[in-house]
């Protein structure tokens, strides 16, 4: 193999035009060798990228990755989201329990450079990423493409679409979420998603001027029958995100059944009022009543262990390791994309040994699986906190929460300080 062949631009297919797929395309572009920027084809099943959804908390490590990818500047230019100095924790039936802050030792944020947190809608975060994607000549996004078949050879991988078209590339990235076609049709077909027993019901409440809430920016509110998140998500503070994590029995009719149940916003609202409407905090019931619509999303997960790759296909994000929300989920995805892209770039710089990228895949998995396993265990605690509990069980929980936040603060801050662009690769 001559020098030119060693650094030829790779052809890469990304399945999934959500935040994971788009961020992966940006990271692959940024960290590629300068003379071998890959040509990237993103295929999204929806007719347009989905810019709807709830609000997420982008932790300092997540914002640091978005800064590296050029997305943070767009978020600031467009004034997306609401800066978060601290997350307040309440018992809906008594008082404030604890605070988890993002201010750092000097009040400017955590890490170097310092970042606080940002509560932002999934739609706004995706719009910011799409704007940076639009500026990249090497990235092409095609929507309305359903993949029905994946074939991999020693030399390439080909996907076939429902309309009869196809695309061939050197590498296929499965960034297509918990119900990943890449995983179910090719990488690990036996590894199916399972329902956790928990649903997230969310919506947005327009609040009148002078409406008093019990939190400064964002709050996690525990009750005997679930956990409610209440948070500002935009700078004017005229709208509050209301999200309820709660135990809901499996309806047993698959995704279509869940869509039908989730479409009944008033039934969801009534369920949330039954669970949280008796809160002693005055603003909670009005917030639930003012929320314009409630969307019900069942939370699925994958087994802790599983196959992430073949010789030419790699799963990233929820396609590889979907888990219940645990505070850092979005940041973990951004870190996935950056570490993987750095591993692939190093493989290219070494002359692409072996002819296929399995070596880079293996280095990435070795570096990442322990971190994902830790996050998976943390997510199990979330499920436990959402389950319905007795008066005694809830009381014990309210005593345990402040201790748990104090005990885990150092490990959380360590993650928030991380900059995985600086982590040594295991090559």
């Amino acid at each position: 193999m001559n020098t030119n062949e060693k650094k030829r631009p790779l052809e890469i297919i990304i399945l999934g035009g959500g935040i994971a797929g788009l961020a992966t395309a940006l990271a692959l572009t940024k960290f590629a060798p300068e003379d071998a920027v890959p040509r990237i084809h993103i295929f999204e099943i929806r007719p347009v990228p989905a810019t709807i959804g709830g609000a997420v908390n982008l932790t300092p490590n997540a914002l640091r990755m978005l800064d590296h990818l050029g997305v943070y500047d767009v978020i600031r230019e467009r004034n997306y989201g609401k800066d978060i100095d601290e997350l307040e924790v309440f018992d809906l039936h008594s008082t404030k329990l604890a605070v988890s802050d993002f201010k750092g030792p000097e009040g400017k944020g955590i890490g170097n450079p310092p970042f606080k947190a940002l509560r932002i809608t999934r739609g706004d975060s995706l719009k910011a990423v799409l704007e940076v994607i639009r500026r990249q000549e090497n990235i092409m996004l095609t929507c309305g493409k359903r993949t029905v078949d994946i074939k991999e050879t020693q030399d390439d991988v080909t996907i076939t679409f429902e309309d009869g078209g196809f695309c061939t590339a050197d590498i296929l990235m499965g960034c297509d979420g918990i119900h990943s076609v890449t995983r179910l049709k090719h990488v690990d077909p036996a590894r199916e998603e399972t329902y956790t027993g928990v649903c997230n019901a969310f919506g947005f409440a327009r609040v009148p001027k002078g409406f008093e809430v019990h939190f400064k920016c964002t709050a996690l509110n525990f009750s005997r029958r679930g956990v409610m998140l209440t948070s500002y998500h935009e700078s004017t503070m005229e709208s509050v995100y209301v999200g309820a994590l709660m135990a809901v029995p499996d309806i047993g009719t698959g995704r279509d059944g869940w869509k039908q149940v989730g479409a009944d916003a008033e039934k969801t609202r009534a369920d949330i009022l039954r669970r949280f409407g008796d809160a002693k905090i005055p603003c909670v019931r009005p917030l639930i009543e003012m929320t314009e619509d409630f969307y019900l999303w069942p939370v699925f997960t994958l087994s802790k262990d599983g196959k992430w790759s073949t010789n030419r296909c790699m799963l990233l994000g929820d396609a590889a390791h979907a888990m219940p929300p645990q505070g850092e989920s979005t940041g973990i995805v951004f870190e996935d994309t950056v570490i993987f892209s750095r591993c692939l770039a190093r493989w290219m710089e070494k002359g692409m040994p072996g002819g296929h990228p399995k070596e880079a895949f293996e280095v990435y998995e070795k570096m990442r699986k322990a971190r994902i396993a830790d996050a998976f265990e943390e997510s199990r605690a979330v499920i436990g906190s959402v389950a319905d509990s007795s008066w005694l069980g809830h009381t014990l929980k309210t005593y345990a929460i402040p201790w748990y936040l104090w005990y885990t603060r150092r490990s959380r801050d360590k993650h928030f300080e991380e900059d995985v662009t600086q982590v040594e690769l295991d090559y």
Side-chain angles (χ1 to χ4, degrees), residues 29-105:
T29 300
K30 178 179 177 62
F31 294 101
E34 291 185 5
D35 57 349
V37 176
R39 290 187 288 267
I40 301 172
H41 307 259
I42 306 172
F43 295 102
E44 165 59 37
I45 191 172
R46 299 179 181 88
V48 294
T51 54
I52 60 172
V56 296
N57 190 37
L58 297 181
T59 50
N61 52 321
L63 294 177
R64 194 168 291 111
M65 293 304 99
L66 289 178
D67 192 30
H68 283 300
L69 298 179
V71 178
Y72 186 70
D73 285 344
V74 177
I75 289 173
R76 284 308 185 202
E77 288 166 6
R78 298 186 176 186
N79 200 26
Y80 287 154
K82 176 70 177 74
D83 289 327
I84 303 296
D85 284 352
E86 59 185 30
L87 167 68
E88 298 173 270
V89 183
F90 293 85
D91 174 8
L92 283 178
H93 304 288
S94 60
T95 187
K96 187 173 180 176
L97 300 174
V99 171
S100 177
D101 75 73
F102 306 98
K103 292 179 287 191

Side-chain angles (χ1 to χ4, degrees), residues 159-177:
I159 59 174
T160 303
F161 303 113
E162 189 176 51
D163 61 11
F166 66 92
C167 185
T168 298
D170 299 296
I171 295 172
L172 170 63
M173 304 296 305
C175 303
D176 43 350

Side-chain angles (χ1 to χ4, degrees), residues 137-162:
E137 295 182 356
N138 66 305
I139 301 175
M140 291 149 284
L141 171 62
T142 304
C143 294
K145 286 289 191 177
R146 180 185 295 274
T147 300
V148 296
D149 192 33
I150 300 171
K151 289 286 190 290
E152 180 179 340
T153 71
Q154 179 68 21
D155 300 318
D156 54 37
V157 57
T158 299
I159 59 174
T160 303
F161 303 113
E162 189 176 51

Side-chain angles (χ1 to χ4, degrees), residues 23 42 64 68 77 79 83 110 158 213 263 270 306 308 322 332 337 347 356 398:
I42 306 172
R64 194 168 291 111
H68 283 300
E77 288 166 6
N79 200 26
D83 289 327
I110 299 174
T158 299
V213 298
W308 288 7
I332 286 173
T337 67
W347 171 72
H356 54 69
T398 62

